[in-house]
């Protein structure tokens, strides 16, 4: 582009397209494989191919790109891939509602988004792309499933599941939302249904998943995962049920055993039918049915009135031999502990209320303080009414009781977790078929590895009910048993799409490798991921599943480390102009394409980095992007509209400011502080414009080179344009990150003496070039000076540049 044309018209999209073409032609962003450099695997969460990149994608991806560019300039070989999380419900819904095949819908969306990604101008290595609905990819989901199955980590179980009657599919615990338990996707109230499901034994790794010592992740994610896993320490205690046998309870308070005055089982407990006496059977059955229709959230709500029914059975308290009645109550859940509890009303709120309501005895086993006038007492204190425990505090009593239980065969120390196994079955078409065959003779038979992939049939009949087409496709499900050769049927469930995203970072390394999920040599070179970035909303599912997967992969001998991603950063969300979350119903959705077309990618990305700290997000502001665009245009004008006159500006000031800028940007990028970095670049641009043509050419060129280099991770196209206009060799993105000299920044600080009425009161460090006004301001606000001004009037101030400020008061 000629200089004259540039001067008249500023067309960022033209400029950007030109550089994108050049970058593609020259293979600038092909992954650097130079092993003499340290590696940096930068990963941003892969998008779902919904059709268009939205602002959230730009907000997540472009700062990650800036960071990856920074690492590259710092001498790292950087791997920065992108792909598509391409299985999932929206594609299937498009098929149902509009008659488009999910594959067609997905692939055309991907094609569109690829174009938009190119326009973004990020340094993604597009050769490393992964598309999870590609058989080349999901074959390895199936392979992993087989490995999990071999290791006993995949199992099938009939279980009540949350079921969305509209989508006709099971939902994971976290996909059921709100107090009234609705489907996360469509909002329909969720019901319970019994189905045979495939699960992964993530609970085997619960303890290890609590160990975050090998990763540097945000505190918040760790806490969310910790709570999700929900570890509780205590004991399992056996209670003999008269005429039946022992039933185990889990308790965190074994010290309170002497106060267990009744026994409560979950209505779903498998022993309920057998222990119930005939005279209680009708009432018990009715209660079980009612409880089954209720949500877990309601059942565990402490404010709800407690209900339950007596089963007619009695249990023996092993500590004192007392006969205690056995109830069923909905506040005891089958999915936690052992599904049965010893009730200790003296120390537990729910048990107290239950006891009051049904007239059951209450015995305190911990002595509350004298001034305590409440009901149940949760605090510490000496044990009472507890035989051999009396006098011990809670912790001592717990230990003592556990020893006693173990010695007498009544129980043992135990740990339990809230974490449930990962239910991976989905009654859906658009996912990875589970590679299992059911044979009447041989039972459950895994598909032999050499028969993978089990392909999704291409033609499928999509029912308006959402019922899986695989269930209605005999060509798919009729097969022969790999074991005996007899007729058999295939599993028609497909896998949860979280399966796809649990290991995609490995596949990026060698997307077409066909001897394993990834090429171990590539793994050796690049793994694990060094820097992951993504939203906090993935804290407990995706981010836990991928940790679990990596641990299993380690145990399978596929990798040698324990954690998939060493560092994690959670960005915030970009809000609508009204400060609310963008949503179609609010009508506050911003389409990034409009802004790319108008202001270009550099302006959009810089604006998104400028709106606030990346971890916090911020509201969209059209005036804001206008301002950022002006900044880029002004920066560009530094090289395209030059005129030189006399050198009356201070060259050491230029040096000082340039060094200061490099330091600031370096530190900000290390800490993901994009917004303050851009503010510094803006300020520096203004300064450069002010002194342009007033410093020596050589000094100017050097300062400009540095400026363009530190600008380049933020506005890669503009920086490239400036670099070329300065006559520098292509490409600015291959330059080494500039260093800075602390001394050059520091040396320019001077010490000013502050006097009040001629008396020395303070010394302050200020920039050498400080203005008179600023110097007086600092002097007046000094903590050491202020007391001497109090109650007095400032009459005059004298400023001796570089030396002192004298404040005259009276
Ligand atoms: C006796 C006891 C005495 C209890 C006491 C508490 C206080 P966390 O800390 O959440 O793990 N519990 C056990 N299994 C249950 C289930 N399936 N459904 C509902 N409640 C269950 O809670 C552990 C405590 O919750 C256990 O300790 C048990 O009540 C109850 F002074 O046992 B506790
Ligand atoms: Zn068979």
């Amino acid at each position: 582009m000629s200089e004259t044309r540039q001067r008249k018209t500023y067309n960022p999209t033209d400029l950007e397209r030109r550089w994108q073409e050049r970058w593609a032609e020259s293979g600038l962003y092909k992954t650097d494989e130079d092993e003499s450099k340290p590696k940096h695997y930068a990963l941003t969460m892969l998008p779902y191919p919904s059709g268009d990149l939205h602002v959230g994608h730009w907000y997540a991806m472009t700062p990650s790109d800036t960071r990856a560019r920074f690492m590259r300039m710092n001498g790292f070989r950087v791997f920065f891939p992108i792909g598509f999380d391409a299985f999932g419900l929206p594609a299937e819904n498009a098929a149902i509602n509009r008659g488009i095949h999910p594959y067609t819908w997905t692939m055309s969306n991907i094609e569109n988004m690829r174009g938009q990604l190119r326009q973004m101008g990020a340094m993604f290595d597009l050769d490393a792309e992964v598309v999870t609905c590609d058989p080349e990819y999901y074959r390895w989901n199936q392979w992993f499933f087989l490995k999990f199955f071999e290791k006993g980590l995949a199992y099938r179980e009939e279980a009540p599941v949350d079921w969305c009657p509209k989508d006709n599919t099971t939902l994971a615990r976290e996909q059921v939302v709100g107090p009234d338990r609705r489907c996360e996707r469509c909002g329909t109230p969720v019901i319970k249904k019994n189905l045979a499901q495939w699960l992964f034994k993530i609970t085997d790794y619960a303890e290890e998943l609590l160990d975050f010592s090998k990763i540097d992740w945000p505190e918040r994610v760790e806490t969310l995962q910790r709570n999700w896993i929900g570890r509780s320490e205590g004991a399992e205690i056996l209670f003999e049920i008269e005429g039946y046998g022992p039933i185990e309870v889990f308790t965190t308070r074994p010290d309170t055993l002497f106060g267990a005055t009744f026994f409560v089982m979950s209505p779903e407990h498998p022993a309920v039918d057998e222990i119930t006496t005939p005279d209680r059977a009708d009432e018990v059955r009715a209660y079980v049915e009612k409880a089954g229709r209720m949500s877990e959230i309601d059942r565990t709500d402490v404010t709800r009135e407690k209900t339950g029914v007596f089963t007619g059975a009695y249990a023996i308290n092993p500590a004192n031999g007392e006969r205690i009645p056995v109830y069923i109550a909905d506040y005891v859940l089958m999915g936690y502990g052992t599904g049965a509890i010893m009730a200790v009303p003296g120390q537990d709120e729910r048990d107290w209320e239950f006891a009051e309501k049904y007239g059951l005895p209450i015995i305190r086993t911990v002595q509350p303080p004298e001034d305590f006038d409440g009901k149940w007492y949760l605090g510490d204190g000496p044990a009472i009414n507890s035989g051999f425990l009396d006098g011990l505090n809670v912790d001592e009593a717990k230990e003592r009781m556990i020893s006693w239980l173990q010695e007498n065969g009544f129980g043992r120390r135990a740990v339990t977790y809230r974490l449930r196994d990962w239910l991976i079955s989905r009654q859906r078409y658009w996912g990875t078929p589970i590679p299992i065959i059911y044979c009447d003779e041989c039972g459950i038979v895994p598909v032999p590895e050499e028969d993978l992939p089990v392909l999704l049939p291409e033609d499928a009949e999509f029912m308006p009910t959402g019922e899986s087409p695989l269930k209605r496709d005999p060509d798919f499900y009729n097969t022969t048993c790999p074991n005996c050769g007899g007729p058999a049927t295939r599993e028609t469930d497909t896998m949860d799409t979280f399966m796809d995203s649990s290991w995609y970072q490995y596949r990026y390394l060698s997307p077409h490798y066909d001897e394993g999920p990834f090429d171990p040599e590539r793994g050796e070179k690049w793994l694990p991921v060094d820097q992951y970035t993504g939203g906090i909303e993935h804290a407990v599912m995706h981010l836990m599943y991928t940790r679990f997967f990596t641990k299993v992969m380690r145990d399978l001998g596929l990798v040698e480390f324990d954690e998939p991603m060493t560092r994690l950063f959670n960005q915030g969300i970009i809000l609508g102009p009204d400060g609310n979350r963008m949503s179609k119903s609010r009508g506050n959705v911003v389409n990034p394409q409009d802004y790319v077309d108008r202001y270009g990618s550099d302006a959009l990305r810089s604006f998104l980095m400028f709106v606030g700290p990346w971890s916090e997000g911020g509201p969209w502001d059209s005036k804001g992007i206008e301002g950022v665009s002006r900044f880029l245009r002004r920066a560009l004008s530094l090289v395209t509209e030059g005129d030189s006159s006399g050198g009356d500006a201070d060259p050491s000031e230029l040096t000082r400011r340039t060094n200061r800028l490099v330091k600031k940007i370096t530190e900000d990028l290390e800490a993901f502080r994009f917004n303050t970095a851009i503010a510094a670049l803006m300020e520096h641009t203004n300064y450069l414009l002010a002194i342009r043509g007033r410093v020596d050419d050589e000094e100017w060129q050097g300062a400009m080179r540095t400026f363009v280099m530190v600008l380049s991770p933020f506005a890669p196209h503009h920086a490239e344009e400036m670099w070329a206009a300065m006559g520098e060799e292509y490409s600015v993105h291959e330059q080494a990150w500039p260093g800075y000299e602390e001394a050059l920044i520091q040396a320019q600080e001077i010490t000013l003496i502050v006097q009040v009425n001629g008396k020395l009161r303070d010394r302050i460090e200020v920039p050498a070039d400080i203005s008179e006004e600023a110097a007086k301001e600092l002097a007046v606000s000094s903590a050491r000076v202020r007391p001497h001004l109090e109650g007095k009037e400032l009459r005059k101030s004298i400023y001796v540049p570089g030396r002192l400020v004298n404040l005259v008061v009276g």
Side-chain angles (χ1 to χ4, degrees):
M1 182 180 286
S2 77
E3 237 183 61
T4 35
R5 214 184 112 209
Q6 178 64 52
R7 194 174 302 172
K8 292 205 188 76
T9 59
Y10 170 63
N11 187 334
T13 46
D14 254 13
L15 175 162
E16 291 179 353
R17 193 171 320 117
R18 241 182 323 108
W19 285 114
Q20 283 158 14
E21 278 164 18
R22 178 84 190 270
W23 292 339
E25 271 162 31
S26 63
L28 184 69
Y29 301 132
K30 265 192 150 2
T31 302
D32 182 352
E33 300 287 348
D34 179 355
E35 285 189 70
S36 65
K37 299 178 184 169
K39 79 165 183 90
H40 182 77
Y41 185 168
L43 185 66
T44 174
M45 289 180 184
L46 88 177
Y48 179 77
S50 52
D52 290 292
L53 289 183
H54 53 70
V55 175
H57 290 129
W58 275 80
Y59 193 63
M61 291 175 184
T62 55
S64 306
D65 175 61
T66 293
R67 190 73 176 17
R69 290 174 179 278
F70 171 66
M71 296 305 283
R72 172 185 172 135
M73 292 177 82
N74 273 283
F76 290 83
R77 60 186 159 97
V78 175
F79 183 50
F80 186 49
I82 193 75
F84 296 95
D85 190 12
F87 273 136
L89 271 182
E92 195 153 344
N93 290 338
I96 294 162
N97 301 330
R98 285 181 274 153
I100 312 166
H101 193 281
Y103 183 82
T104 315
W105 184 85
T106 305
M107 293 317 279
S108 88
N109 286 348
I110 288 178
E111 200 38 50
N112 191 42
M113 288 168 82
R114 279 187 187 127
Q116 294 172 340
L117 280 172
R118 251 173 265 128
Q119 267 189 306
M120 190 182 272
M123 61 170 277
F124 292 125
D125 179 352
L126 297 174
D127 291 341
E129 187 195 74
V130 152
V131 176
T132 60
C133 68
D134 193 329
E136 196 178 57
Y137 186 84
Y138 71 68
R139 166 188 178 180
W140 299 105
N141 282 342
Q142 295 173 340
W143 183 86
F144 275 120
F145 181 95
L146 296 179
K147 295 290 160 199
F148 278 46
F149 183 75
E150 264 169 41
K151 278 189 92 65
L153 289 170
Y155 68 97
R156 193 168 187 251
E157 191 176 80
E158 171 114 357
V161 293
D162 287 320
W163 177 267
C164 172
K166 177 153 180 285
D167 292 334
N168 263 315
T169 188
T170 45
L171 300 171
R173 183 165 67 158
E174 50 279 4
Q175 289 168 320
V176 179
V177 295
D180 51 351
R181 297 179 33 85
R182 289 170 183 277
C183 169
E184 178 193 53
R185 294 196 195 261
C186 71
T188 307
V190 165
I191 59 168
K192 290 266 181 211
K193 189 171 166 169
N194 264 327
L195 268 186
Q197 307 281 310
W198 283 97
L199 295 102
F200 282 162
K201 258 195 187 158
I202 191 171
T203 52
D204 273 12
Y205 288 81
E207 200 56 49
E208 200 192 336
L209 287 167
L210 284 168
D211 176 7
F212 296 93
S213 65
K214 291 174 185 140
I215 42 181
D216 179 9
W217 282 20
E219 202 58 45
R220 233 172 113 207
V221 175
E222 285 190 22
T223 305
L224 286 165
Q225 293 205 352
R226 237 181 257 289
N227 293 343
W228 191 258
I229 294 167
R231 183 182 196 275
S232 285
E233 277 179 18
E236 275 166 8
I237 305 180
L238 289 167
F239 280 71
E240 187 68 24
I241 311 294
E242 285 179 355
Y244 173 80
I247 291 183
E248 204 163 49
V249 303
F250 171 75
T251 178
T252 47
R253 295 291 304 273
D255 60 298
T256 64
L257 180 55
F258 283 93
T261 54
F262 56 102
F263 188 96
V264 189
M265 286 159 70
S266 162
E268 290 82 17
H269 197 290
V272 168
D273 278 350
E274 219 178 307
I275 63 157
T276 301
T277 56
D279 59 313
R280 310 291 311 156
D282 287 347
E283 216 182 315
V284 166
R285 204 170 306 124
Y287 187 83
V288 170
E289 221 164 87
K290 209 173 94 220
R293 285 195 299 270
M294 281 182 65
S295 76
E296 204 172 300
I297 294 171
D298 285 340
R299 285 176 56 165
T300 51
D301 179 358
V302 283
T303 64
R304 199 173 53 93
E305 160 126 17
K306 302 287 160 298
T307 63
V309 294
F310 178 44
T311 62
Y314 285 86
I316 305 299
N317 182 332
N320 53 18
E322 295 280 333
R323 270 179 106 221
I324 59 175
V326 178
Y327 280 76
I328 59 170
D330 57 16
Y331 72 87
V332 178
L333 305 170
M334 199 52 225
Y336 186 63
T338 63
I341 65 160
M342 60 183 217
V344 185
Q347 273 79 226
D348 185 87
E349 173 175 4
R350 294 171 308 179
D351 298 348
W352 180 289
E353 283 172 352
F354 196 92
E356 264 195 343
K357 180 164 174 186
Y358 294 102
L360 296 159
I362 297 173
I363 302 172
R364 286 194 192 282
T365 61
V366 180
Q367 178 65 56
E370 249 166 61
D371 55 353
F372 179 79
D373 62 355
K375 298 177 173 181
W376 59 95
Y377 175 64
L378 301 175
D380 201 356
I384 50 169
N385 304 320
S386 293
F388 61 89
L389 299 179
D390 281 355
L392 300 178
N393 69 31
V394 169
D395 283 342
E396 291 162 353
K398 276 184 186 171
E399 285 307 307
R400 185 68 167 273
M401 180 53 93
I402 291 172
S403 309
W404 184 86
L405 290 167
Q406 294 186 162
E407 279 157 24
N408 293 279
F410 288 126
R412 61 200 146 83
R413 184 185 304 282
V415 169
T416 196
Y417 303 90
R418 298 234 159 242
L419 182 68
R420 301 271 68 91
D421 277 338
W422 174 11
L423 197 158
I424 63 145
S425 290
R426 295 293 180 274
Q427 292 66 48
R428 278 287 167 177
Y429 167 82
W430 195 231
T432 304
I434 294 175
I436 284 290
I437 289 168
Y438 302 103
C439 169
D440 283 344
E441 295 299 314
C442 317
I444 295 176
V445 184
V447 172
E449 229 176 279
E450 58 274 19
D451 292 351
L452 299 184
V454 177
L455 289 172
L456 278 174
E458 269 171 40
D459 36 73
E461 192 195 345
F462 293 93
M463 306 305 291
T465 59
E467 186 191 357
S468 170
L470 299 181
K471 279 215 157 38
R472 312 166 54 90
D473 184 353
D475 288 343
F476 174 77
Y477 62 70
N478 283 331
T479 186
T480 51
C481 171
N483 205 21
C484 68
T489 55
R490 276 185 199 287
E491 170 64 69
T492 53
D493 282 353
T494 53
M495 298 179 198
D496 180 5
T497 54
F498 276 116
M499 177 87 179
D500 307 328
S501 51
S502 290
W503 67 280
Y504 75 110
Q505 68 269 30
Y506 297 101
R507 190 67 187 166
Y508 276 141
L509 298 171
S510 48
H512 309 297
Y513 187 68
D514 63 3
E515 282 163 51
F518 67 93
D519 181 347
E521 256 174 57
R522 307 278 306 143
E524 193 68 36
K525 264 184 95 165
W526 288 104
L527 294 172
V529 171
D530 296 285
Q531 180 64 60
Y532 199 25
T533 55
I536 186 82
E537 67 275 17
H538 293 293
V540 283
M541 291 178 280
H542 165 56
L543 287 172
M544 185 114 96
Y545 294 148
T546 189
R547 292 182 66 213
F548 163 57
F549 237 81
T550 292
K551 293 172 195 304
V552 177
M553 287 170 73
R554 174 203 60 203
D555 293 345
L556 288 167
L558 292 167
V559 297
E560 279 171 358
F561 43 85
D562 308 301
E563 297 281 358
M565 297 106 182
T566 311
R567 275 177 305 275
L568 171 71
F569 189 96
N570 295 122
Q571 79 270 355
I573 30 182
I574 176 88
L575 304 168
D578 55 1
N580 290 310
R581 238 194 138 107
M582 286 188 201
S583 79
K584 281 199 183 116
S585 59
R586 279 213 183 87
N588 62 351
V589 176
V590 170
N591 178 4
Q593 196 59 43
D594 299 343
Y595 293 90
V596 179
D597 292 344
R598 186 136 168 233
Y599 299 103
S601 159
D602 280 354
L604 178 55
R605 57 187 280 152
S606 301
F607 167 68
L608 290 172
M609 286 185 261
F610 187 56
V611 287
W614 196 35
S615 57
E616 279 164 38
W620 177 269
D621 167 12
S622 303
K623 281 202 291 298
I625 191 171
E626 190 79 57
V628 170
S629 168
R630 212 173 312 121
F631 146 64
L632 290 174
R633 187 177 182 159
R634 281 158 61 82
L636 190 62
S637 76
L638 281 168
V639 296
T640 53
E641 300 165 14
D643 57 335
S644 44
S645 46
D648 65 336
D650 179 3
S652 65
E653 169 71 357
L654 177 59
T655 308
R656 186 176 75 80
R657 284 194 180 243
T658 301
N659 275 271
R660 196 178 65 181
L661 177 75
V662 173
K663 177 176 164 126
K664 170 88 182 135
I665 307 289
T666 305
E667 291 175 353
D668 279 355
L669 282 181
E670 271 162 7
F672 296 86
R673 285 188 304 256
F674 303 100
N675 58 328
T676 50
I678 291 185
L681 287 164
M682 289 174 164
E683 191 203 308
H684 194 77
T685 302
N686 290 339
Y687 164 72
L688 289 175
L689 282 165
I691 64 154
R692 184 181 46 185
R694 291 168 45 212
V695 281
D696 188 72
D697 232 26
E698 208 172 305
E699 309 252 6
W700 175 256
Q701 289 297 335
M704 278 301 292
R705 274 178 56 94
T706 305
F707 170 62
V708 173
M709 282 192 259
V710 298
L711 174 70
S712 71
F714 301 89
H717 309 84
H718 282 69
E720 193 78 284
E721 179 81 3
M722 291 166 76
W723 193 251
M726 283 155 55
E728 298 289 346
E729 204 177 306
Y730 177 79
S731 151
V732 68
H733 303 296
E734 290 189 307
Q735 304 306 309
W737 189 253
Y740 59 89
E741 270 180 61
E742 200 74 51
L744 289 175
I745 303 166
Q746 296 307 325
Q748 303 300 320
E749 297 252 310
I750 53 159
T751 306
L752 271 190
I753 285 169
V754 184
Q755 297 175 333
V756 180
N757 292 344
K759 268 207 183 120
L760 173 69
R761 294 299 180 194
D762 198 8
R763 292 170 207 274
I764 54 176
E765 299 288 310
V766 299
D769 61 339
I770 192 164
S771 67
E772 177 165 355
E773 207 180 324
K776 284 180 185 166
E777 186 118 339
L778 282 175
V780 170
S781 58
S782 147
R784 291 216 188 93
V785 172
R786 247 182 290 131
H788 302 282
L789 306 179
E790 235 149 69
K792 294 177 187 146
E793 200 188 316
L794 181 62
R795 304 202 174 206
K796 202 164 101 179
S797 62
I798 302 148
Y799 177 56
V800 183
R803 301 264 320 275
L804 67 82
V805 180
N806 185 16
L807 305 168
V808 181
V809 297

